[in-house]
Amino acid sequence: MRPVVVLVSAAVTAVLLTCAALFASAGGDLVPGSAFPEVVPGSPGTPEPGYRPVVPDPRGNPSRPPHQPGPRAVDEIVRSALVKAAGRSTVSAQVFDRQSGTSLFEESADRKFRSASLVKLMIAIDALARGSERAGSTRMTQMLSLSHDDSASALWVAGGGGQIVRRIAERLDLDAEPPQPDGRWGNTMISARDVVKIYDYVLDELPDADSETIMRALRSAPEIAADGFDQHFGIPRALDGLPWAIKQGWSAGGGSMELHTTGVIGDDDRFVVVVLTKTTGGAEWGWGSRMTTAATLALRPLLVR
């Protein structure tokens, strides 16, 4: 594997400064007085984060070539920035280079989180495989692009609920687990490594028409989801200027809040980026969105050449 470190020093500096600013704007510590709504996944009353950061240009000053640290140093710098941005939240991340077939970065990539709407990727693959939905399906597009919950619930029931997770996990060799004990799709357990495998499968293994149905929906994900939530946290804001296709997840209940940003980044869908977060003890959506965006920004030096 050839090193993926070009013009990194300036990028790292920009990322660290912006992560620090975002973390400070988030208030640093969690907001202890805020309670979580007992909703999985998000409800129509979910407040919009309304976060609009300006991401610094990681290229720095082109007239002054920066010192280029080695791959190990870059990994350590990125990991430190990621953990600092996450603060007291639990974070998992993976960056996978589809061109070289190698993982560029991993942080607790096997840790399982409540999936929230990320399971909709599995629902889509299963529905297309069973033929219950055809390529170009409007319901499929709404479920993925707008993160439409009613569409997901209809396909979940039609596919046998938790059996969907079992089928896809077996087919893709995932560690994902169906939701227990209530069977609600948002409570499926999934890891960053699972999500990377799902994207790789969609792009490399699905029939072209099915793959394009899913990817077109992810590329057209609007800022505001069907339930009114601002779903452009994480990748769209931290990695602005880069081509992306995203599936986001947000949920709260049982004393914790999950915010996940995942997708395919770059020309020719080269990189898969996954950042999963979980916050306990009280917080609010705006804080969580800023935290997840700052954590994603920490990964930018791995993607910008």
Side-chain angles (χ1 to χ4, degrees):
M1 169 186 171
R2 59 187 178 84
V4 289
V5 183
V6 180
L7 302 184
V8 170
S9 183
V12 170
T13 299
V15 166
L16 290 175
L17 289 174
T18 305
C19 283
L22 295 182
F23 187 69
S25 71
D29 291 329
L30 304 180
V31 183
S34 299
F36 295 112
E38 291 293 331
V39 178
V40 181
S43 68
T46 300
E48 300 172 16
Y51 170 52
R52 303 291 186 276
V54 177
V55 180
D57 185 348
R59 294 170 295 183
N61 185 348
S63 66
R64 299 183 61 186
H67 170 69
Q68 297 177 10
R72 181 174 298 180
V74 173
D75 184 277
E76 292 174 354
I77 292 170
V78 169
R79 193 176 311 278
S80 176
L82 175 72
V83 173
K84 182 175 181 179
R88 292 170 57 190
S89 299
T90 301
V91 64
S92 170
Q94 185 171 359
V95 177
F96 183 77
D97 185 347
R98 297 181 58 250
Q99 186 177 94
S100 65
T102 58
S103 186
L104 305 182
F105 179 84
E106 296 182 11
E107 171 64 30
S108 304
D110 292 316
R111 184 189 298 272
K112 294 178 184 177
F113 291 73
R114 187 165 55 189
S115 71
S117 287
L118 299 187
V119 73
K120 292 172 183 175
L121 292 167
M122 302 176 75
I123 295 173
I125 294 171
D126 185 77
L128 289 167
R130 290 185 296 103
S132 66
E133 294 293 309
R134 295 183 178 181
S137 159
T138 298
R139 180 161 62 174
M140 182 90 63
T141 299
Q142 291 177 338
M143 177 181 72
L144 296 174
S145 181
L146 290 168
S147 205
H148 196 278
D149 291 344
D150 288 346
S151 297
S153 295
L155 293 174
W156 177 257
V157 172
Q163 292 301 320
I164 294 174
V165 177
R166 294 185 181 93
R167 285 193 294 267
I168 300 302
E170 181 177 3
R171 183 178 307 165
L172 276 63
D173 190 26
L174 309 179
D175 290 327
E177 299 175 358
Q180 299 293 338
D182 58 14
R184 300 172 74 178
W185 48 259
N187 289 336
T188 296
M189 300 300 292
I190 201 168
S191 70
R193 198 179 307 282
D194 287 337
V195 179
V196 167
K197 289 182 178 180
I198 290 171
Y199 278 112
D200 209 37
Y201 180 85
V202 168
L203 289 165
D204 290 343
E205 302 295 334
L206 282 184
D208 290 345
D210 292 350
S211 176
E212 184 56 28
T213 293
I214 293 175
M215 295 308 299
R216 186 188 303 116
L218 302 186
R219 290 189 182 100
S220 62
E223 184 175 11
I224 304 303
D227 66 358
F229 195 84
D230 183 342
Q231 64 175 343
H232 276 195
F233 61 92
I235 288 173
R237 295 203 171 99
L239 305 180
D240 67 332
L242 300 176
W244 52 254
I246 57 167
K247 186 70 204 83
Q248 312 282 70
W250 55 94
S251 68
S256 70
M257 175 177 70
E258 282 80 12
L259 279 162
H260 309 319
T261 182
T262 78
V264 180
I265 311 299
D267 296 332
D268 300 320
D269 297 325
R270 177 171 180 177
F271 302 103
V272 180
V273 175
V274 180
V275 178
L276 311 181
T277 73
K278 176 180 179 179
T279 305
T280 59
E284 50 89 23
W285 290 115
W287 184 95
S289 293
R290 291 190 293 273
M291 177 272 293
T292 306
T293 298
T296 308
L297 182 62
L299 306 176
R300 186 166 182 137
L302 299 167
L303 308 170
V304 177
R305 306 293 175 120

